[in-house]
Amino acid sequence: MGLISSFFTWWNGATWGTWIYTQLRGAKVGEDGWGNVYFEAKKRDSYGVRRRWVIYSGSNDASRVPPEWHSWLHGQAEDVPDRALPPARPWQKPPIPNLTGTHQAYRPPGALEAGGIRPASTGDYEAWSPDQA
């Protein structure tokens, strides 16, 4: 089912139609550390803007686009990040994708997935009851 599903399912990566469009009308401008490939249209549209897009290396998840490439995709930067931005500072952490729904997602204290034990109350909270006026 892998070959047939690649014709129709866009959430598992680029479809065949996207690849054909990219080969005919796009030019590769760069690649990020996660393997996502970025393209720009060879011709300008009627507004004088070149369309920009990304083909993800895995599932299509916009949180997997690093901030510097996000700004390029949305036209906030004219040149690709490799040439337009200064090198990363030593204190900067690499971006991480949205981990919601995975085992690595944040679990606050008291969450059922984290053991379900909440910290003791400090006594400054009084629960509301409908019998109280």
Side-chain angles (χ1 to χ4, degrees):
M1 181 89 177
L3 180 63
I4 294 172
S5 67
S6 67
F7 279 103
F8 304 107
T9 58
W10 55 266
W11 52 87
N12 293 326
T15 61
W16 286 68
T18 305
W19 276 109
I20 292 169
Y21 179 86
T22 299
Q23 297 303 319
L24 293 176
R25 302 202 177 191
K28 180 180 174 182
V29 294
E31 190 172 335
D32 65 16
W34 292 337
N36 299 328
V37 184
Y38 298 89
F39 294 91
E40 188 171 41
K42 295 176 183 174
K43 296 182 180 178
R44 297 182 184 271
D45 63 7
S46 59
Y47 297 106
V49 179
R50 293 182 192 263
R51 181 174 177 232
R52 298 172 176 179
W53 65 94
V54 59
I55 295 187
Y56 298 98
S57 64
S59 63
N60 294 343
D61 181 8
S63 72
R64 295 180 59 225
V65 174
E68 59 272 11
W69 281 102
H70 180 273
S71 63
W72 178 82
L73 279 172
H74 292 276
Q76 297 170 343
E78 287 297 319
D79 208 356
V80 293
D82 298 339
R83 295 188 295 259
L85 297 176
R89 307 284 170 100
W91 46 265
Q92 287 179 307
K93 292 184 178 181
I96 57 172
N98 185 354
L99 300 174
T100 302
T102 68
H103 293 292
Q104 299 167 339
Y106 172 72
R107 308 276 194 255
L112 294 176
E113 296 88 356
I117 301 172
R118 296 181 63 179
S121 177
T122 60
D124 61 347
Y125 174 77
E126 182 179 332
W128 177 81
S129 173
D131 298 332
Q132 296 176 344

